[in-house]
Amino acid sequence: MKQKKRLHYAWVIFVVCFLMAGCSLGFISTPVGLYLKPISDSLQISRAAYAVRNSMRFITTALVNIFFGKLITKFGARKLGTAGLLALAASCLVSAQAKGLFMLYLGGVLQGIGFSWTCTTMVGYVVEKWFSSKKGTIMGLILASNGLLGAISVQILSPMIYGPNEAWRTSYLVCAAIMTGLAILVVLFLRTEPKDKGMTPLGSGQVQPHKQRGRDWAGVSSEEIFRSSYFYVCAVCVFLTGMLLHATGNVSAAHMEDRGISAAIITNISSISSLVLLCSKMLTGISFDKFGLRFTMTICNLFAVVAIVLLAFVQGPATAYASGIFKALSLPLETIMLPLIAAELFGRKSYAHMMGLLVSFNTLGYAVGGPVINLFYDLTGSYVSVMLALGGIMIAVSIAMQYCISTAHKIRKEQEA
C-alpha cells in the first residue's frame, strides 16, 4: 500500500512567518500614523518631537540589522524571532504608560529591536533556507500578511486610538497581549533551516525553468561589492526610498484630517490600503519571478510618485482613497523588494550581508523622513510643498536604479561567461 505523502515542514514555517511578520507589521507598524495626532495632542508635544519616536525605532533597526548575519548564525531563527516579539510586547507596555517623550522614545527603541528580528530580514533569511524555488512569490505571500492583518488591526484599534480619555493606551495593551501569544507560537514551531527537522528545502531536486532570475547567480564577495560604484548608488536609492515613503505615509492620516477628511474615512482608507497591500505584495513577488527586477521596481516607483502627488493635493474622499490605494501598491519597495534587490544585484555569495545592509539603509531613511517632513509642517503649517519635492526625488531614484540593475547584470554576464 502506497504511503501517504507528508506535508513538508516548510509550509509550517510559511504559516509561522506569515503570522509573525503579519501581526508585527499589521498591529504595530500599520496603525502608527493613526497615533500621531491623538498622542501629540494628549501629551501636548509637537508632531516633530513625536516623530523622533519613529526615528529611534528605525535607527535601532538599522544598527541591529548590520549584525543580523552574526546574530542569526549564533542564536538561530527561533530565539531571535521570540526575542523580537517579546521586545515588541515590551514596547507596547512602555508606550501604554508614557507620560512624556522619554517613555515614547524608549518604546521606539524596543520596537526597532523587535522589527529587526520578526519582519523583512528574518523572512528573507528563513525563506532562503526553506524554499529552493519561487522565493519571490513565497516572500510576497508572507509579507502580504501585513495587508490582511493590517486591515483587521485598524478596525480593532482605531476606536481605541481615537477614543476619549486617552483610550490609545488601551490599544497598546491589546497589541502587547497579541505579541506575547505569537512569541509562544514561534518557540513551538519556528526552525532556522531544514536540517533542524532532518529535511531538505522544499522544491530541491526539481527541474527549474531554463530562464533563472536574480537569486540564482553565484554573486561576488562583499569586498568586491564595496569597491563598486553601483553599490553606493543603490544604497543612496534605498535610503531615499525609505525616507520618502515613510515620511509621506506617516503623516498621511494627519494631513488628510488637516484638509477636512473625517476620521471615519481615514480609518476606511487605512483598511482598504491594507487589503490592497495584501494583493500588491503577492503580485510583486510573482512579477519578480516572471518579469525580473527592472520591470517590477519601475512599476512600484511609478505608483509611489502617483500616490505622493495625489496625497499632496487631496481635496476630498475620492483623491484620498486613490492616494491610499496607490501608496499600498508602492509599499513593497519597503519590504519584499529589499531581499529581491540584494539577490538580483549581489547574488548568493554575499546575500545575507547585503540584505542586512539594504534593510539598514532603508530604515535609516525612515528615521530621517519622519522628523524632516513634520519639522517642515511645524515651520510652515503645511505638508504640500515638501510632498511634491519628495515626488521629484522618487523619479530621480527610479532612474538611478536602472543604472544599478544594468551594472549588476553586466557583472553577472561576465562572471557566467
Side-chain angles (χ1 to χ4, degrees):
M1 187 175 179
K2 189 175 181 180
Q3 188 176 8
K4 188 175 180 180
K5 189 175 181 181
R6 292 176 58 194
L7 177 72
H8 197 288
Y9 199 79
W11 294 116
V12 176
I13 298 297
F14 175 90
V15 172
V16 173
C17 287
F18 185 94
L19 293 173
M20 178 175 67
C23 288
S24 297
L25 292 169
F27 279 84
I28 307 296
S29 184
T30 296
V32 69
L34 302 180
Y35 286 101
L36 175 60
K37 185 175 174 61
I39 293 182
S40 58
D41 290 348
S42 174
L43 300 183
Q44 296 183 340
I45 58 177
S46 71
R47 293 183 183 183
Y50 174 79
V52 174
R53 166 187 168 87
N54 288 328
S55 297
M56 300 295 287
R57 160 193 163 184
F58 297 132
I59 290 171
T60 302
T61 299
L63 293 174
V64 173
N65 267 316
I66 293 174
F67 305 101
F68 178 81
K70 292 182 179 179
L71 292 172
I72 196 73
T73 300
K74 183 174 182 179
F75 297 107
R78 180 168 56 173
K79 290 181 180 179
L80 278 190
T82 302
L85 289 166
L86 292 178
L88 291 176
S91 169
C92 293
L93 293 175
V94 167
S95 300
Q97 302 301 318
K99 301 295 184 182
L101 291 175
F102 175 77
M103 295 291 277
L104 289 176
Y105 293 169
L106 176 59
V109 171
L110 291 169
Q111 273 190 14
I113 295 172
F115 283 122
S116 297
W117 300 333
T118 60
C119 298
T120 303
T121 318
M122 178 65 77
V123 169
Y125 182 86
V126 173
V127 168
E128 178 73 16
K129 294 291 185 181
W130 278 93
F131 296 86
S132 64
S133 62
K134 300 295 182 183
K135 296 176 184 179
T137 302
I138 296 297
M139 277 194 290
L141 289 169
I142 292 174
L143 294 175
S145 59
N146 178 23
L148 176 62
L149 294 168
I152 295 171
S153 76
V154 295
Q155 295 298 326
I156 295 173
L157 300 178
S158 289
M160 304 178 203
I161 295 172
Y162 288 114
N165 302 321
E166 297 188 332
W168 53 267
R169 297 182 187 276
T170 303
S171 71
Y172 279 125
L173 296 177
V174 171
C175 291
I178 293 171
M179 295 304 110
T180 303
L182 283 170
I184 296 172
L185 184 71
V186 166
V187 169
L188 294 175
F189 296 108
L190 186 62
R191 300 294 182 271
T192 302
E193 51 188 316
K195 70 178 183 180
D196 296 338
K197 298 290 290 185
M199 293 180 166
T200 57
L202 180 62
S204 59
Q206 294 180 358
V207 177
Q208 301 296 325
H210 70 280
K211 189 175 183 179
Q212 300 295 321
R213 291 297 177 186
R215 189 175 295 274
D216 298 298
W217 73 297
V220 293
S221 66
S222 299
E223 291 76 13
E224 293 175 281
I225 291 170
F226 293 148
R227 292 195 296 267
S228 302
S229 61
Y230 84 101
F231 165 75
Y232 298 98
V233 175
C234 177
V236 172
C237 288
V238 169
F239 168 83
L240 290 174
T241 298
M243 182 190 77
L244 64 92
L245 286 180
H246 175 73
T248 54
N250 188 48
V251 303
S252 61
H255 175 63
M256 289 180 185
E257 189 172 354
D258 290 342
R259 294 178 71 88
I261 307 299
S262 69
I265 291 176
I266 293 171
T267 298
N268 289 335
I269 290 171
S270 295
S271 293
I272 291 173
S273 296
S274 295
L275 292 175
V276 175
L277 182 62
L278 169 69
C279 299
S280 69
K281 286 186 177 180
M282 291 188 291
L283 292 174
T284 296
I286 294 170
S287 175
F288 173 81
D289 287 334
K290 188 172 180 62
F291 301 111
L293 181 65
R294 191 189 301 275
F295 173 84
T296 306
M297 173 160 279
T298 301
I299 294 298
C300 288
N301 288 340
L302 176 62
F303 288 149
V305 174
V306 173
I308 293 169
V309 173
L310 286 172
L311 180 62
F313 294 113
V314 66
Q315 295 292 334
T319 48
Y321 279 110
S323 174
I325 291 170
F326 278 104
K327 180 189 77 172
L329 292 171
S330 70
L331 285 181
L333 290 167
E334 293 182 334
T335 52
I336 179 178
M337 290 302 300
L338 298 177
L340 300 180
I341 290 170
E344 179 94 1
L345 266 58
F346 308 115
R348 292 191 303 270
K349 185 178 292 185
S350 55
Y351 172 71
H353 188 193
M354 291 299 108
M355 181 179 64
L357 288 178
L358 290 186
V359 172
S360 293
F361 296 143
N362 194 245
T363 49
L364 283 174
Y366 300 170
V368 173
V372 166
I373 197 169
N374 281 291
L375 178 60
F376 191 92
Y377 173 86
D378 290 339
L379 293 174
T380 67
S382 172
Y383 292 115
V384 174
S385 297
V386 69
M387 284 182 178
L388 294 178
L390 293 176
I393 293 174
M394 188 74 251
I395 294 173
V397 165
S398 182
I399 295 170
M401 281 303 298
Q402 302 305 310
Y403 159 76
C404 297
I405 295 169
S406 296
T407 303
H409 287 178
K410 181 180 178 181
I411 293 172
R412 175 177 177 169
K413 287 181 181 178
E414 291 173 353
Q415 182 187 89
E416 291 176 346

